[in-house]
Amino acid sequence: MNTLNETHDPCLRSWVSSAQDERSDFPIQNLPYAVFRPRTSGQAWRGGVAIGDEVLDLAALAHAQLIQASDPLAPAALNAAAQETLNEFMALGPAHWGALRRALSRLLRWGAAEKDALQQCLVPQAQVEYRVPARVGDYTDFYTSVHHATNVGRLFRPDSPLPPNYKWMPIGYHGRVSSLLISETEVRRPRGQLMPPGAPGPTLAACKRLDYELELGVFIGPGNELGQAINLDEAEAHVFGLCLLNDWSARDIQVWEYQPLGPFLSKNFATSLSPWVVTMEALAPYRLPFTRPSQDPQPLPYLDSPTHRTQGSIDIQLEVRLQTLAMRQAGQPAAPMSQSNYRHAYWTLAQMVTHHAASGCNLQPGDLLGTGTQSGPEPGEGGALIELTLGGQQPLSLPCGERRTFLEDGDTVALRAWCERPGAARLGFGVCEGQVLPASP
Amino acid sequence: MNTLNETHDPCLRSWVSSAQDERSDFPIQNLPYAVFRPRTSGQAWRGGVAIGDEVLDLAALAHAQLIQASDPLAPAALNAAAQETLNEFMALGPAHWGALRRALSRLLRWGAAEKDALQQCLVPQAQVEYRVPARVGDYTDFYTSVHHATNVGRLFRPDSPLPPNYKWMPIGYHGRVSSLLISETEVRRPRGQLMPPGAPGPTLAACKRLDYELELGVFIGPGNELGQAINLDEAEAHVFGLCLLNDWSARDIQVWEYQPLGPFLSKNFATSLSPWVVTMEALAPYRLPFTRPSQDPQPLPYLDSPTHRTQGSIDIQLEVRLQTLAMRQAGQPAAPMSQSNYRHAYWTLAQMVTHHAASGCNLQPGDLLGTGTQSGPEPGEGGALIELTLGGQQPLSLPCGERRTFLEDGDTVALRAWCERPGAARLGFGVCEGQVLPASP
């Protein structure tokens, strides 16, 4: 796992003034990656790094030849990160990722000699557009919050909310790649078969119980060969970084279709991702011990290690906000729906990776994992409406006198995440946002 | 749907003599596509068409400029089909596919003026290697045989073998793309969590109940935009063709992990594909009416149409053979395990495509669907060992005095398929084969 180094020093300041704003998600200690281009320019996509309100254009930086070969890995890493997807960079692994981070941190620090030349490589974030930062080969969604699993399980299976395997393995299933969307892409309400209780048969109709799911997305680095497992203590060397992920879900389609082979149309119409990928190295100051309640089964040996127990978890604050059309028209800001923390996950990133590869399944650079909905232990901390409204039975009150059980057309959902604690720089993930469009006619 | 034309004429003969062998899978009426290169040559991959025992090298054919522009679509189709994957060709759609098929049929016919020049473009199949013919964006596996669903459901859920949604929708789930393998690639026995009945907890171990599944693979053509559905009568215009697919399955891992989100490690270690993709146009003589038992619910309107009722199904013979190491060493050929027919599928290709896109999910050129295990109605027609051995309770007897409940290391499984009926040329799919390797140490 990553250790603290000069790039994490909370006293570091950047010559990019907006990075000094204490509310900024992107101080010099963060340095997350995206793929971007100037908006409506039709220019080539290229890698970028967020600093304050700016994007450092890595293609321009590579062209300017400002990275000195003090660390021989940094120039190769920069060339890979400057491409039109981050796959090549993700494939390089932690040594290259760390070399580029250190080089960028030095270039962007207060007093850097290269400041004048670097300013030519900055583009305001307000002037760019993003896309999904990797060519995703496979997307696997997990189910790692025991609170979410219990809350939802109670609605779908009142007698046995938590499946018997839940506390033994990080449950996952394969998701749809073609409908991965970058934040701000609108999401069309899906159609599917609905089978209301007591109906004589299903009908094809627009989803009436459209929901969001508050998740983190996990981009895979080097990965493994087919047939080779990944040891738990090596698992995070295969994790490039994290973003926000909204696993839009059609609950009424899901409840009728999901047995026996899992969710299908209820999930495959859209999954939204935030543009910025926060690296595992940036998250090093926020590691926490991984613990289990003593009455719970302890993980099997392949999912357990001393290092993992010491720092397997991560302290990431999570938040969902909702803005309805009426709120937007009234100038009312998005209302908070819930907060949670990734520290509550029952299964960690390393356990997800190791379990996924235990069969010999090959993970590849740019593959995406979802953590599953991250709900906290308290009633108001559900990461999806189905939890907050008890399956639609308890509507939520919103500003402007509205109520919601599930999402309505025009609603905009915004996910956010950040890390903060005394003695470390605050980091943010930016936003993962999407507005619901009406179903096709 | 495709209608019969000059390329289907059963009297057509090719100047490639091996294509006249009545046991050949690849007469001139078939003309399936693969991606190949001369074995161990390190040369570029390129598209090819099977004719008898030969591969017609489409890159060489394009270079030789033998396709006349009598049909203006044919040269563009040839250029696309000659690439290192078939994605671009699949994206073109039925008009282009048909133009190239007609042009190739004319060039390969007995008496073709281009014979001498074309002979330079032939490579013996015995001298080539293949790869998965498309860059698969997403792989979705279905569950369309009601006989398989009932047989397996009885073992997993004795009280209600067939889930209540089964007769209303083609159930599908997302599969793993990274472990799609071309035929003849060896398959390593997976590890995973096993939880024998009555055990106090699971253990991580090598699968003890490794199985095959006899399926057809379906390559998608042009596809749809996100948010747009696909009408049933247009669905087959988005199907390029079919291959054989072995959905290797770890039954002991599956039974413990699959609730509530579906199969994961039990399937994601390997899925094998035959190299040759038989086009939907080639299958036109083998179309059959799609019918339902009158006591069953008739399909919802979006999954039903007069054209579909007339010819929604396809008459394709299916077969599995098994050769153990002992049989191989004794010079004993592979033993037949079961036969079935794709006509028994409860849900058709068109229904799979239309249902998949009903949510607005976008299908893309080169996407792969699996039909699910194709079992026939009779007891010996199960498409997987779990059916044939009643969950491992009734071992099968093999030559050389061996018995099998599930696959053992060294076993080779071979899937085959063919079409034959009076008045039409016999077509075959070639073989999808794989040998089981021991689990990693």
Side-chain angles (χ1 to χ4, degrees), chain B residues 234-387:
Chain B
E234 287 156 23
E236 284 201 12
H238 298 282
V239 177
F240 174 73
L242 306 182
C243 65
L244 290 157
L245 185 153
N246 185 345
D247 179 25
W248 303 89
S249 297
R251 301 300 180 193
D252 39 7
I253 299 174
Q254 187 176 358
V255 69
W256 169 235
E257 77 171 1
Y258 90 107
Q259 286 287 8
L261 299 178
F264 184 41
L265 298 197
S266 55
K267 302 275 195 177
N268 70 6
F269 57 96
T271 302
S272 298
L273 300 173
S274 62
W276 294 107
V277 185
V278 176
T279 64
M280 293 304 290
E281 190 173 356
L283 295 167
Y286 293 95
R287 305 306 301 237
L288 292 175
F290 169 77
T291 56
R292 278 285 168 80
S294 59
Q295 72 275 21
D296 280 1
Q298 298 304 299
L300 291 180
Y302 79 108
L303 296 174
D304 189 28
S305 82
T307 306
H308 184 261
R309 267 172 261 149
T310 306
Q311 50 174 329
S313 296
I314 321 180
D315 181 8
I316 303 175
Q317 293 284 336
L318 305 166
E319 181 194 74
V320 187
R321 288 178 183 260
L322 176 71
Q323 189 185 43
T324 69
L325 264 189
M327 290 166 67
R328 177 172 292 197
Q329 284 158 2
Q332 188 84 32
M337 305 300 286
S338 65
Q339 288 208 351
S340 179
N341 193 301
Y342 186 49
R343 69 193 300 168
H344 300 306
Y346 197 85
W347 296 101
T348 67
L349 297 182
Q351 289 168 326
M352 286 158 60
V353 167
T354 293
H355 182 66
H356 201 319
S359 63
C361 179
N362 50 331
L363 304 182
Q364 298 183 317
D367 281 355
L368 179 68
L369 313 183
T371 60
T373 310
Q374 294 301 308
S375 302
E378 302 303 322
E381 296 179 341
L385 287 172
I386 193 172
E387 297 171 70

Side-chain angles (χ1 to χ4, degrees), chain B residues 372-434:
Chain B
T373 310
Q374 294 301 308
S375 302
E378 302 303 322
E381 296 179 341
L385 287 172
I386 193 172
E387 297 171 70
L388 296 173
T389 67
L390 300 180
Q393 294 174 62
Q394 292 194 3
L396 298 174
S397 292
L398 296 174
C400 304
E402 292 181 289
R403 287 148 64 93
R404 280 290 179 279
T405 47
F406 291 96
L407 295 171
E408 298 192 6
D409 295 344
D411 286 357
T412 298
V413 178
L415 313 184
R416 280 189 181 74
W418 64 91
C419 303
E420 58 186 339
R421 70 164 183 79
R426 180 190 179 283
L427 314 177
F429 283 66
V431 63
C432 177
E433 193 171 273

Side-chain angles (χ1 to χ4, degrees), chain A residues 39-56:
Chain A
R39 189 171 291 162
T40 69
S41 67
Q43 289 180 25
W45 296 99
R46 79 291 300 260
V49 165
I51 180 75
D53 296 341
E54 310 284 325
V55 185
L56 177 62

